[in-house]
Amino acid sequence: MLVGQIEEIVRHPVKSFRGESVDQTKIMEYGLYGDRSHAYLDDTKKGNFLTITHFPEMVRYKAEFIGEESMDKYPEVNVTTPEGKVVDWKDPELIEEIENKSNRKISTIDYSPSHVPIGPIAVEHILLATDASLDQLKELWGKEEVDSRRFRPNLFISLQEKVPFIEEEWIGRRIKIGADVELEFVGHCKRCMIITVNPDNAERDSSLHKTVIQERNNNFGVYASVIKTGDIHVGDEVHILN
């Protein structure tokens, strides 16, 4: 059954940095190609990942791959700083800047194109959200526009029938995207303080999280695991299979 189409595909080459919107990519066994494949480690916390939770301004740094996807090695990863400077993600000056701003000592880690462990991705392979749910949340919050980037979905679906939170009813079911890709919905996404951080200026507003807790039992978006890999494109149809 046709339920919608892919409106946006977002991957995050560097964990907790702003992601890049792409027209097409591969779905690997671990999720989107290169998603959270590079990360900064917080050496003050025995190697835990440095995330927005500890350093909210990470949302103002945008990471993107420069070049074509390859299974041998990742393309270069460029970072655009809040001031508009473009540097390599391992640039010593960038590392020093992040350390000074976060008051932490950091190091880098990256994985192979064939495998990114579940840790950097957080919970499951892929996070999905729908336009109808985002629109409904805007009404529930009643404060300002709700930027989808706050929720960091990999796949943003435009629904045929605009039924808010219908994706939560798909948990336990499978969908097909385009010609090859199949995903299985496996659970709700429990939200944390990250959604309180404005992706443009890193300012925090706890009222959005309070709204999600009160109105949606702290759920927004659903996780999916990869059943069949393949290529996906913006505009691909999304079908429920069972």
Side-chain angles (χ1 to χ4, degrees):
M1 179 178 70
L2 176 65
V3 294
Q5 64 181 24
I6 299 298
E7 181 174 323
E8 187 176 24
I9 302 169
V10 181
R11 65 184 174 196
H12 304 83
V14 177
K15 181 177 176 63
S16 275
F17 274 6
R18 182 181 300 177
E20 59 173 343
S21 182
V22 297
D23 292 331
Q24 62 183 56
T25 191
K26 297 181 183 297
I27 295 291
M28 310 291 291
E29 291 182 355
Y30 60 79
L32 271 64
Y33 173 92
D35 192 42
R36 278 84 167 188
S37 57
H38 301 65
Y40 296 107
L41 297 177
D42 183 354
D43 293 338
T44 64
K45 299 292 185 180
K46 297 182 179 180
N48 289 342
F49 296 109
L50 181 68
T51 70
I52 297 168
T53 303
H54 311 105
F55 179 38
E57 197 172 347
M58 291 184 83
V59 299
R60 301 185 64 210
Y61 292 79
K62 180 180 180 180
E64 56 188 333
F65 288 119
I66 305 300
E68 295 187 6
E69 297 177 358
S70 168
M71 294 309 301
D72 296 323
K73 65 177 183 178
Y74 287 118
E76 293 182 4
V77 178
N78 276 1
V79 172
T80 303
T81 70
E83 294 74 31
K85 186 178 180 180
V86 179
V87 296
D88 183 85
W89 83 289
K90 284 187 175 181
D91 184 277
E93 291 186 5
L94 175 63
I95 299 295
E96 183 179 6
E97 177 180 321
I98 295 173
E99 288 182 333
N100 290 338
K101 287 183 175 180
S102 66
N103 197 29
R104 285 170 165 81
K105 183 68 176 177
I106 65 173
S107 57
T108 62
I109 187 171
D110 55 272
Y111 303 93
S112 73
S114 61
H115 179 66
V116 176
I118 197 68
I121 300 172
V123 178
E124 253 300 343
H125 297 136
I126 292 175
L127 178 62
L128 299 94
T130 66
D131 57 351
S133 297
L134 188 67
D135 289 343
Q136 181 65 20
L137 186 58
K138 291 176 184 177
E139 294 189 19
L140 292 173
W141 190 26
K143 191 166 185 177
E144 60 180 74
E145 288 294 305
V146 183
D147 194 318
S148 65
R149 291 177 298 170
R150 287 180 181 265
F151 302 94
R152 304 177 77 79
N154 296 118
L155 302 179
F156 193 65
I157 300 174
S158 175
L159 295 173
Q160 290 281 99
E161 296 185 18
K162 306 300 184 183
V163 180
F165 311 110
I166 187 67
E167 61 273 20
E168 296 180 3
E169 298 180 17
W170 298 341
I171 293 173
R173 305 177 71 181
R174 293 186 181 184
I175 59 171
K176 184 172 184 179
I177 302 174
D180 302 310
V181 171
E182 290 187 19
L183 308 176
E184 182 173 336
F185 290 98
V186 295
H188 298 91
C189 179
K190 293 289 183 183
R191 307 315 310 204
C192 66
M193 62 72 60
I194 286 177
I195 69 172
T196 71
V197 181
N198 186 309
D200 289 321
N201 56 27
E203 293 180 358
R204 294 183 57 182
D205 184 340
S206 62
S207 65
L208 176 59
H209 194 197
K210 290 178 180 177
T211 297
V212 175
I213 292 171
Q214 294 169 359
E215 301 290 344
R216 299 302 309 160
N217 195 29
N218 203 28
N219 298 321
F220 188 84
V222 289
Y223 284 113
S225 59
V226 177
I227 304 301
K228 292 185 180 179
T229 61
D231 295 328
I232 61 169
H233 310 77
V234 169
D236 278 350
E237 292 185 345
V238 178
H239 293 260
I240 289 285
L241 295 180
N242 58 9

